[in-house]
Amino acid sequence: METEPLIDAVDFASDEPTFRVRFWRRPSRAGWAWSTEDWLLTRAEDVAEALGWARARLHDGDRFEMHVVSADGQHIRVFGSPPEDTFTTVEVLLTTEE
C-alpha cells in the first residue's frame, strides 16, 4: 500500500482501490477547534488493510473517517464520522431602524 499526505482535495477518479483517510485530532486546549490531517491511500489490498493502517496511527481521543474514491470520482464514506462537537453555531440578532 502507498500513502501520502493530502494538501489539496482529491479531485480525480481511479480504477484501483483508493481511500481518503481524515484524522480528527483533538484540540490541545479547551475551546480550541479540532484539527484535521488527510491522507491518500492507494494500492491497498482491501479495506481491512486501509483500516488497519488508519487505526495504527490514532492518538488517544482522536477519531478518523475513511472514504473510498469511486471510479467516477465520488467519495463514499465507509467508516467513521466527524466528532459531534466540531461544528460551531453562532446566533446573530438583526434589527432594523425605523
Side-chain angles (χ1 to χ4, degrees):
M1 179 171 62
E2 296 177 13
T3 63
E4 64 179 277
L6 277 176
I7 306 300
D8 298 318
V10 177
D11 61 355
F12 66 88
S14 177
D15 289 331
E16 66 181 36
T18 303
F19 300 92
R20 187 194 77 192
V21 176
R22 170 167 283 170
F23 291 101
W24 290 90
R25 304 297 186 193
R26 186 167 289 288
S28 58
R29 294 185 180 169
W32 287 27
W34 288 74
S35 61
T36 59
E37 179 184 320
D38 292 340
W39 287 80
L40 184 67
L41 284 59
T42 55
R43 302 179 194 258
E45 291 291 320
D46 54 27
V47 70
E49 181 184 18
L51 283 169
W53 179 90
R55 286 183 174 128
R57 282 152 185 77
L58 277 179
H59 302 134
D60 287 341
D62 292 348
R63 299 177 64 155
F64 76 93
E65 58 184 314
M66 180 179 291
H67 295 80
V68 64
V69 181
S70 68
D72 62 357
Q74 294 189 33
H75 293 227
I76 303 159
R77 187 169 46 215
V78 293
F79 184 86
S81 63
E84 291 85 31
D85 60 348
T86 58
F87 303 100
T88 303
T89 302
V90 177
E91 186 175 324
V92 178
L93 179 63
L94 301 175
T95 61
T96 61
E97 294 182 23
E98 294 187 34

